[in-house]
Amino acid sequence: MQGADLEIGVARSEDELSELGWLCDYSFSDNPSHQVDLRWMLRQGIENFLVARSDGRVVGGVGLLPAGQWFGGRSVPMAGVDAVAVSPAHRSGGIATRLMRRALEEMRERGYPLSTLYPATQKVYRRAGYEQAGVHVRYSLPTHGLPTDGRGGGVRMGSRADLPLLRGLYSRSASRGAGNLDRGEPEWEEKLDSSDAVVNVCVAEPRGEPEGYAIYTQLESEGKRTIRARDLVALTSDAARVLLSYFAEHRSVVDYLVWPGSPTDPLLVHLDNQEYEVEHYEQWMLRLVDVGRALEARGYPEALSATVQLEVLDDFLEWNQGWIVLE
């Protein structure tokens, strides 16, 4: 097998991080650059990247993104996986599988019972025990199709200074569902990153108190101007109506609104017609890193009283093997 001399460990320097960044750029970028942009990796933290070294060179790596996921109204610690890349000269030798095993061991040691990722290819992650668990969707709608029944105020312009407020609104919304992300600092920094576009913030206050918000940019491509929402959160129907009407007021100069959501996005209920299109549909995968701790950490309905015996079979992570009694 290739990589018999392989050593896997936490990145030791920005030079090693740059080597992994180059591999990621080579593997995933539409237009690889001579100068690798390390800002996102440094924001994530050098301690959250594992690299595979062979003959003193970085030939692969994987990133861990500390966060959480909401289950039963409680945030369960979760490590997202990104930056999985292997040098073309070292592929098909089992390095990616070895990297994933080491990453899962690291997650367990750091206290993350869950792990999720967006797969470029599913085969290697299925070998490591990941499986499809949810969907990320982006919708596109012509601005002339937006409702206007929430016109007449209720929205104020915000800024980065509103971040504590935005985080609170987001958590209240995300905790209502199963599997929604409980973001860490890197994800929030990415949402508000203005290095390649002007980032706007607006807050919905239909009754004088914050009930929703949007983080968005504007861009023009092929003669079409689009508002791209990085976040569009509404805790109430009134907040949804005033936010959609706010974007409708841009229709004389903006052609489309694009926003992220779920396959059953509540905002769709407020549209007069089904003119929207699904611009992006991508399934994400989940892995139980520590079954017992994951079951202990999540929430359950208060009125529920039950006992379940579970036999866990896990050929990849031996510590999960065995019987669990859930009460």
Side-chain angles (χ1 to χ4, degrees), residues 97-175:
T97 298
R98 292 175 65 179
L99 277 166
M100 290 307 302
R101 184 184 298 276
R102 181 67 189 88
L104 289 164
E105 291 171 350
E106 189 75 16
M107 293 176 206
R108 188 190 185 216
E109 292 171 7
R110 297 188 188 189
Y112 295 103
L114 297 179
S115 176
T116 63
L117 55 83
Y118 284 97
T121 177
Q122 297 187 134
K123 188 175 181 180
V124 65
Y125 300 114
R126 282 200 168 110
R127 280 201 299 265
Y130 288 81
E131 193 45 82
Q132 293 177 356
V135 179
H136 173 67
V137 180
R138 259 197 325 267
Y139 294 96
S140 176
L141 176 70
T143 51
H144 66 71
L146 288 167
T148 58
D149 58 338
R151 295 168 68 179
V155 174
R156 69 168 175 85
M157 297 304 294
S159 68
R160 176 180 279 269
D162 287 299
L163 179 56
L165 171 64
L166 306 184
R167 295 184 66 151
L169 292 169
Y170 172 82
S171 293
R172 288 171 61 190
S173 175
S175 64

Side-chain angles (χ1 to χ4, degrees), residues 61-77:
V62 56
L64 307 182
L65 193 58
Q69 269 184 294
W70 293 98
F71 287 99
R74 293 179 63 183
S75 177
V76 181

Side-chain angles (χ1 to χ4, degrees), residues 28 201 266:
F28 305 118
V201 176

Side-chain angles (χ1 to χ4, degrees), residues 38-65:
L38 292 182
R39 285 176 297 179
W40 68 273
M41 303 181 86
L42 293 172
R43 191 162 56 209
Q44 190 166 325
I46 190 172
E47 71 280 3
N48 289 315
F49 289 92
L50 303 176
V51 297
R53 308 177 187 93
S54 179
D55 295 327
R57 297 287 299 175
V58 172
V59 297
V62 56
L64 307 182
L65 193 58

